[in-house]
Amino acid sequence: MFSTSPFHAVVYFISATIIYFVTKTIYRLYFHPLASFPGPKFAAATSLYNAYHDILGMGLVKDLPEWHAKYGPIIRIQPNEVHVADLDGFNQCAPK
């Protein structure tokens, strides 16, 4: 039924890993509770976007005003994180 050669085991492992990351990315972009918030899609899919800006760029904080001008007062900057520009934006997403 299944081959037990080391080559096939490696192929199965790589295939399963790719399927896992593709499924996780689709979930984060379309089915996550924060999927409705605007922002860069790569930032919504992975935390590597933040790491790239912090390590190689000037820092994510310096890009936030530009993103707020482009996307609005509430933006998604990581898969599990949103950034709010002002109190009016906070009042839109926080219950009273």
Side-chain angles (χ1 to χ4, degrees):
M1 178 176 214
F2 288 106
S3 176
T4 57
S5 72
F7 174 75
H8 287 121
V10 170
V11 169
Y12 293 144
F13 175 75
I14 292 172
S15 300
T17 303
I18 290 171
I19 290 170
Y20 169 76
F21 283 113
V22 167
T23 304
K24 190 173 183 179
T25 300
I26 290 171
Y27 169 76
R28 285 178 171 177
L29 290 176
Y30 300 107
F31 301 110
H32 193 277
L34 299 178
S36 62
F37 290 98
K41 292 296 183 193
F42 190 66
T46 179
S47 298
L48 294 175
Y49 196 71
N50 189 6
Y52 170 80
H53 280 280
D54 286 342
I55 295 170
L56 299 176
M58 296 297 291
L60 185 65
V61 175
K62 301 215 181 208
D63 292 331
L64 289 176
E66 178 186 328
W67 291 354
H68 281 294
K70 182 176 181 181
Y71 296 111
I74 305 171
I75 57 172
R76 187 173 178 191
I77 59 172
Q78 287 195 26
N80 296 319
E81 186 175 341
V82 294
H83 188 269
V84 181
D86 55 11
L87 186 58
D88 292 332
F90 179 78
N91 289 333
Q92 288 177 5
C93 64
K96 292 185 177 191

